[in-house]
Structure formats: C-alpha cells, structure tokens
Amino acid sequence: MARFSLRWRVAVALGFGSLLLTSALALVVWNLTTGYMLRQREQSAVRQAEVNARLVDESLHSGSNGLDELLTGLTTGPDSTILLLRPGEVLTSGREVDVDALPRPVLDVGGAPSRGRLVVGGVSVLVVTLPIPSAQGVYVELVPLVQLERTFGFLNAALVMGVLCSGLLGLGLGSWAGRRALRPLSELTRAASRIAGGDLRARLPEQTDPDLAHLATTFNATAAALQRRVLKDARFAGDVSHELRSPLTTMVNAAEVLHRRRAEVPGTAGKALDLLTSEVDRFARMVVDLLEISRDQQVDDAPPEPIDLAALVRNVVSARPGPSVPVEVTASPQVLGDRRRLDRVVSNLLDNAERHAGGAVRVAVLSRKGLAGDGLARLEVDDAGPGVPADLRDRIFDRFDRGARAGSRGADTGSGLGLALVAQHVQRHRGAAWVEGRPGGGARFVVEIPETTA
Amino acid sequence: MDFSVLLVEDDEHIRQALGLALGDEGFAVTDAVSGEAALELLSADGFDVVLLDLMLPGVDGLEVCRTLRAGGDLPIIIVTARTDAADVIAGLEAGADDYVTKPLVASVLAARIRALLRRTGTGRDDEVLRRGDLDIRPDVGTVHRDGVQVHLTSTEFRLLVELAAAAGRIVTREQLLRRVWGYDYFGDTRLLDVHIRRLRRKVERDPDDPTLIVTVRGSGYRMDR
C-alpha cells in the first residue's frame, strides 16, 4: 500500500487535531453542565424531602391519624414516590414502586440521612433517605430524573455531533489547504513533465507569493537555458551534417569513378584503391547513420499514423535485392508510428542478419497480449548464424558495439550503428527490441511495439 | 540513352566528382555554379533534367525551382545536404519532382533520373479516363476539366493516371512510389504526400476537402470512377 499523499496527511492531521480539541472541550462542557444540573436537582430534592420529612415527623409526633392524606398531600414532583418505613409497616404514596426491589441499605430503618441514585423499574431516580426520629422510621423519597436525563441525552447528542462535525470540517479544511498549498507544486510538476516530454517552451506562471517566486524564476531560467542549449545543439548538428555530407558526396562519387576504372590501375596501387573505395563506402554509411542517430533527438517527425506492420515488413522485404525471405504473418497488427523509422528498423535487422549470419531465414509478424492485457505487435527476424552469446545480448544494441566480432572487422561490417538505430527507433514507438536464441540455433531479433486500436 | 543533365551545384569538388560519375553512367552533364548561371543556361532549351542544390549563393535553389516550374515542366531533382523535413517539403512544394540527400551515389541518382524520364506506360491508345469532371488522356498526356486543359507536370500526370487507372481500388503509397518514381524505396512518404497535395490543388474544386483523390487512412489513396 502506498503511503498517503502529503495532502491527505495534512488533512488527516488537521481533522484529528480538531477532533481532539473539540472532544476535550465537549468533555469539559459535559462534566461541568451535568454536574451542575445534577447538584441543583439534588439540592432542591433534598430540601423538599427535608421539609416533607419534618411535616411527617411532626404529624407522627402529634399522633394525628391523617398520615395517608398527609403523604398524598406532600409537595413532590409529579412522578415522585414517597415511602414511609416504620418497623413492621411500609406506607407508600405517589408513583407505584416495588418496595422489595429496592436495595436493603435504602430501607435500613436505623440509617443515617443519605442520598444517592438508583435505577428503579427502568427509571433512573434520586433517592433521598431521612430518618424520622419520633417513629424510629425512615422517610424515603424517590425523585425520578427522566426530565434531566432527557436533557442530558440531548446535550450528549449535540456535543457528539459537534465533535464529529468539527473533525470532518478539519479534514475538509486540511484537504483544501493542502491542495491550495500544493497547487504551485502541481503546476511545477506539469511544467517539468512537459519539458521531460520534449516541450522546452514550458514555463511556470509568474508567482506573487514570495515563497514561490524564487522557485518559479529559477525553474524558468533553467528551462530557458536548456532550450537555448538544445537549439544551439540542433543548429550545430545541422551544420555538422552539412559540412560532412558535402565532402562525402565528392568522395563516394570519385570512388565510384575509380571503382569503375579499377582495371586501369594494376598492382599495389590497385589494391590500395580497393581498400580506399570500400572504406569510403563504409565511412559514408557510418557518417549517415551517426548523423541520423544524433539528430534524432530534435527531429520533428510527421504526425504518427496507423501502420499495418505486416504490410510494411512485406514491402521492405520485397524491396531488397537478392533472394527474398518469406514473411510469416499470423496477425495484422496496427501500430501508430512513423513509416520511415519502422522501415529502417526492419531493413537494419535484415542487414544485420545478412552481414553476420548469412541472411535472415525467417521473418514473422505476430500479435500477442502484453502483461496489462494490451496488444503488442511483434516482429521476429531469425537467422541461422552463430547466434549471440547471452552476455553480449544487451550490449549489441549499444553504439559501435560489434559484439563478438569486435577486433575482427571483415570487409563489410556496417557502421556499427544499425542495431543502435533499431533500439532508438523502437524506443521512440514505446516498444522494446532484444535478441534471444533461436530454437535450433542462430539468433532471433525481436521487436515489440504497442498496438493501436484506432 | 543519352540524357542531358544540368547540374547546379556551388561546391566545385562535388560538381566535378558528380559530373564524372554521371558521365560514366551515360549522361551528358553541364555544370552551373549558381542560380543565375542555371537560369541563364535553362533559358535555352535542351536539358532533360535539372539536378539542383538547394543552398546556392545568390538566387537560391528554391527560387530557381519556382522560376523553372512557372515556365514549364522540366523535371527537377533536388540534391540537398539538409535532411530536415521542412527543407525537403519546401523544395517539393516549389515544384521539384524528386529529391535525394547527400551523400548520394551517382548510380542511385542515375536510376532516379531514368525513372523520372521514363514514358508513362499506363493506358491504351485513344483511351479517355473520365473521373468526376476530369477527362484524362494518357496517350497524349492531357487533362481537361469541363473542356479546359489543366496543366500538370509529367510526374503529377503519371500520379493522376496511376490513381485513375486503379478504377476505384485503393492504391497503396508503396505502389504509387514504385510506379511513379519507378524504384523500390520506402519510408519517406513526404515525396508522395507533397505531390498528392500539389495534384489536389490543380484538379480538386476544393483542395482542402478533396472529393476526387480520397485519402484512405493507413493504406493509401483512392480515386472513384
């Protein structure tokens, strides 16, 4: 699992902080409020009970018989219960309660004055117990706290809601602030990836924030310097190209004239002439390949077009002189790309097979599913030569790497850039090129390029 | 075959070497050092093809190309050391029939010249191909639209005939390049793209919305009956 992004970490921290703070506040408010309200209620209940107990005490003292009426007539809350316990007798008044369900200490006749909270019959009540000295009895008053508890419940709900809301608010605020604070960063990312993608004109907008202005200025200055340098390089590459191509034209044509008149130059001079003319050809090819590979970075291609790879391969194979290799086609994958480059890929692979392995023995165009389920157009060029040792397989796509042939250049070893150009062109099509062993001996050069559905 | 070639090239060594090599290939080569010299030589008739360097002192290659094209349809092959797409396209838009990049070998150039000067072989005598509002007569090399002659260069005409002769079938780019420019070469379809554009400008009523020469994306072109 990837770590949370900075934005979310900020949001969570802010949300959590806000939650913590408001819960602490809510806790304090809860404790103070409920404590105060409960105390108030208790005090008033106790005061009331004391008055009532004194009345009962006086009534018993004076031996009056209207005790029941007295109990009924006492001032209590609407749902309160009054119990008068005397040895061997329990008098109740008010809301009905099951006396046996009351815990013993409450009914302890000899007890001292006390107060407490109980749950009786599913209702939370305040119990006030007062001794009646004249009758060795106890006056018990049960005051239900339904009203109070309802208020507490409401308060509780309000506080919890408040805490949750503030937590969510903090989360939202954190997310917003994070995005706001990171916006210049995402602008920077966009600009940087445009530059990485080759668009050197990408710049950051002017920043008014002093914290960001410096970053923007530095970034823009770097991008401008890079652009200047790339332009300069391109101009230089163009100049080099022109300056090299002109004398080469003279050389290859003069060499052709000499080659045609080879018979007129006998002996040692003739052999030297052979060397010269063949080397001039190789040199010309090398320079052309080198110019192509080095100018490749800044060339603006034609817009990519859908290409039928099988048709392209057939065309290249059929255009080559000499015995043609059969092209095995099991699918007709379409790729999005540049014809010139793909032609070059195919012909360079065929050239390579010809130079080092006596020619291609099989050319195949297939289509296969990639790891992500996307289609891959696959080109295979097989030869029946000596193959490429495993430890050289990566290297042979490097520039001027002649693999096992290093040091033993024959008459026609090519420019040493053919496979490097293959790798470069294929990479430009977001594909991959490699070499593997061919079943039955020889080498198999494989090119895979993503298919297009368009 | 003894074609007469005008070689316009400011680099003396190239001029000499290419002149010698083309001479070996059987061409009669005349040199011109600059655009002015070339235009002066060309005012007199007698050349079969012009090999034109784009970078010339004074009147540059593009200018020579445009001037020549305005005055006739003498085949022009651009010989350039610049391989940038923009330069090649500018040359072709200016009216060149083909282009080669340095370093070029005389034998390759010779093959291209011969292909360019080859007579068109498509079509029988007296046949008139009617496509849209065009009347194409391959035997005499003329195109008329509503009775008015449309002037095409010989390369443009061969391209049009190839498309028209396919009678509604798709002609691939490779086939067109092979049949019109006459040799197997691949990859660079700029040559064809620009020629199609030039042809459309001349034969289509609205070149931006072609109805005669239709692009079949990914494969080639088609010209309906």
Side-chain angles (χ1 to χ4, degrees):
Chain A
M1 179 97 179
R3 283 187 63 181
F4 288 116
S5 72
L6 182 59
R7 178 150 74 86
W8 280 110
R9 274 181 285 155
V10 168
V12 167
L14 215 67
F16 189 68
S18 156
L19 201 70
L20 215 65
L21 193 71
T22 41
S23 5
L25 260 171
L27 217 62
V28 171
V29 168
W30 171 258
N31 280 338
L32 285 178
T33 313
T34 51
Y36 176 74
M37 285 170 82
L38 209 57
R39 233 172 8 256
Q40 288 283 86
R41 190 81 186 82
E42 249 176 47
Q43 273 168 12
S44 72
V46 168
R47 255 198 307 278
Q48 188 67 54
E50 275 169 0
V51 172
N52 289 344
R54 207 175 307 128
L55 283 175
V56 171
D57 191 23
E58 277 166 13
S59 162
L60 286 173
H61 208 63
S62 61
S64 139
N65 283 330
L67 197 56
D68 275 344
E69 287 84 44
L70 177 68
L71 284 181
T72 316
L74 286 174
T75 316
T76 59
D79 289 320
S80 297
T81 310
I82 292 170
L83 295 118
L84 186 60
L85 297 122
R86 281 190 293 177
E89 185 191 18
V90 178
L91 285 176
T92 67
S93 155
R95 195 169 63 96
E96 289 287 327
V97 290
D98 185 2
V99 177
D100 296 332
L102 293 175
R104 291 261 33 107
V106 174
L107 310 175
D108 188 4
V109 174
S114 74
R115 67 187 82 155
R117 286 169 71 187
L118 276 179
V119 176
V120 178
V123 180
S124 179
V125 291
L126 189 65
V127 184
V128 183
T129 310
L130 295 167
I132 308 284
S134 57
Q136 289 97 43
V138 178
Y139 174 86
V140 179
E141 194 168 330
L142 303 177
V143 183
L145 297 173
V146 178
Q147 204 64 41
L148 199 62
E149 296 227 306
R150 203 171 294 147
T151 311
F152 285 175
F154 181 75
L155 182 67
N156 189 16
L159 286 175
V160 167
M161 281 299 288
V163 166
L164 284 180
C165 281
S166 91
L168 284 176
L169 203 68
L171 200 70
L173 205 68
S175 168
W176 178 80
R179 188 167 33 221
R180 186 80 190 73
L182 292 175
R183 188 176 299 158
L185 202 62
S186 41
E187 270 170 4
L188 181 70
T189 312
R190 252 198 310 279
S193 53
R194 269 177 68 196
I195 286 182
D199 179 8
L200 297 175
R201 291 161 307 164
R203 294 287 184 278
L204 279 181
E206 289 284 324
Q207 300 288 339
T208 46
D209 190 327
D211 287 336
L212 301 170
H214 185 61
L215 174 69
T217 321
T218 313
F219 180 88
N220 288 346
T222 310
L226 185 66
Q227 189 180 18
R228 270 198 303 280
R229 199 172 141 193
V230 166
L231 279 179
K232 215 172 95 190
D233 284 357
R235 214 171 303 131
F236 179 67
D239 291 347
V240 167
S241 171
H242 184 256
E243 294 306 316
L244 286 177
R245 283 171 196 271
S246 295
L248 268 183
T249 310
T250 307
M251 283 160 77
V252 291
N253 285 291
E256 196 170 66
V257 171
L258 286 173
H259 190 67
R260 200 182 270 265
R261 288 174 173 68
R262 171 66 180 84
E264 296 172 21
V265 188
T268 312
K271 280 190 192 128
L273 189 63
D274 285 342
L275 285 175
L276 199 63
T277 50
S278 74
E279 213 55 2
V280 161
D281 284 346
R282 198 164 75 88
F283 184 56
R285 268 202 308 275
M286 195 185 295
V287 170
V288 170
D289 280 356
L290 198 59
L291 290 177
E292 180 170 355
I293 213 166
S294 60
R295 99 195 163 112
D296 208 50
Q297 315 300 329
Q298 50 254 348
V299 161
D300 47 331
D301 272 332
E305 52 177 334
I307 296 166
D308 182 339
L309 189 64
L312 182 136
V313 171
R314 276 205 199 94
N315 181 53
V316 175
V317 169
S318 71
R320 292 176 71 82
S324 77
V325 194
V327 182
E328 203 179 298
V329 175
T330 55
S332 52
Q334 300 276 322
V335 296
L336 205 61
D338 179 75
R339 263 168 210 284
R340 189 184 64 84
R341 289 178 200 280
L342 291 179
D343 278 337
R344 194 71 205 264
V345 166
V346 179
S347 62
N348 279 11
L349 287 176
L350 293 171
D351 281 347
N352 184 68
E354 220 149 79
R355 283 211 180 91
H356 305 298
V361 294
R362 173 179 165 270
V363 177
V365 178
L366 340 152
S367 169
R368 75 176 190 88
K369 282 271 167 276
L371 284 178
D374 45 342
L376 284 172
R378 182 182 168 106
L379 166 72
E380 292 178 359
V381 177
D382 289 9
D383 64 53
V388 182
D391 55 331
L392 293 179
R393 284 180 184 171
D394 284 337
R395 272 181 44 196
I396 62 165
F397 287 95
D398 292 346
R399 299 172 186 192
F400 296 121
D401 190 283
R402 287 188 167 77
R405 287 104 51 200
S408 64
R409 298 181 187 180
D412 188 15
T413 53
S415 67
L417 291 165
L419 290 178
L421 270 172
V422 167
Q424 189 166 313
H425 287 340
V426 168
Q427 200 176 22
R428 219 184 163 90
H429 287 84
R430 294 179 296 116
W434 68 91
V435 63
E436 52 193 43
R438 170 180 171 252
R444 167 172 291 171
F445 285 82
V446 183
V447 167
E448 283 189 349
I449 295 172
E451 277 184 51
T452 174
T453 47
Chain B
M1 67 173 80
D2 218 339
F3 290 124
S4 171
V5 178
L6 178 66
L7 173 61
V8 190
E9 166 67 63
D10 65 323
D11 185 314
E12 194 192 336
H13 289 171
I14 296 180
R15 212 164 56 233
Q16 288 186 8
L18 209 51
L20 289 174
L22 283 173
D24 274 359
E25 294 284 340
F27 295 96
V29 183
T30 309
D31 292 348
V33 197
S34 64
E36 289 90 341
L39 289 173
E40 200 173 313
L41 282 166
L42 285 162
S43 59
D45 228 6
F47 293 106
D48 294 309
V49 64
V50 180
L51 303 179
L52 187 62
D53 186 4
L54 277 185
M55 289 171 89
L56 291 171
V59 181
D60 79 346
L62 286 180
E63 198 53 50
V64 174
C65 205
R66 277 190 213 105
T67 312
L68 269 181
R69 205 33 90 231
D73 64 349
L74 181 64
I76 303 169
I77 298 179
I78 285 175
V79 180
T80 176
R82 314 241 299 247
T83 50
D84 301 355
D87 287 328
V88 170
I89 288 170
L92 292 170
E93 288 283 5
D97 294 278
D98 200 350
Y99 76 93
V100 286
T101 44
K102 294 174 184 173
L104 62 134
V105 188
S107 53
V108 172
L109 190 55
R112 294 208 174 189
I113 295 171
R114 290 196 188 100
L116 210 54
L117 298 178
R118 192 171 40 106
R119 294 294 307 162
T120 164
T122 322
R124 292 182 303 276
D125 280 353
D126 304 334
E127 189 188 20
V128 178
L129 298 166
R130 202 176 157 76
R131 301 285 179 269
D133 49 7
L134 295 179
D135 285 326
I136 307 161
R137 300 196 52 186
D139 55 333
V140 288
T142 57
V143 183
H144 288 82
R145 183 163 71 193
D146 302 334
V148 184
Q149 185 168 355
V150 181
H151 191 81
L152 299 181
T153 69
S154 56
T155 309
E156 288 161 357
F157 184 75
R158 288 212 314 259
L159 183 59
L160 181 65
V161 170
E162 283 301 336
L163 286 164
R169 288 189 308 275
I170 297 170
V171 193
T172 68
R173 295 162 184 228
E174 288 78 12
Q175 286 167 337
L176 283 173
L177 282 167
R178 201 167 291 168
R179 290 181 196 156
V180 177
W181 283 269
Y183 50 94
D184 290 323
Y185 80 112
F186 37 80
D188 205 340
T189 53
R190 290 177 288 192
L191 179 63
L192 179 63
D193 295 341
V194 176
H195 269 85
I196 291 280
R197 203 149 67 216
R198 274 165 52 182
L199 192 54
R200 277 177 177 159
R201 272 206 290 273
K202 291 183 178 177
V203 302
E204 293 278 1
R205 294 218 179 265
D206 178 6
D208 294 327
D209 180 25
T211 52
L212 281 168
I213 303 166
V214 186
T215 306
V216 184
R217 199 164 139 79
S219 43
Y221 299 94
R222 195 186 64 217
M223 197 167 177
D224 290 324
R225 264 179 199 279

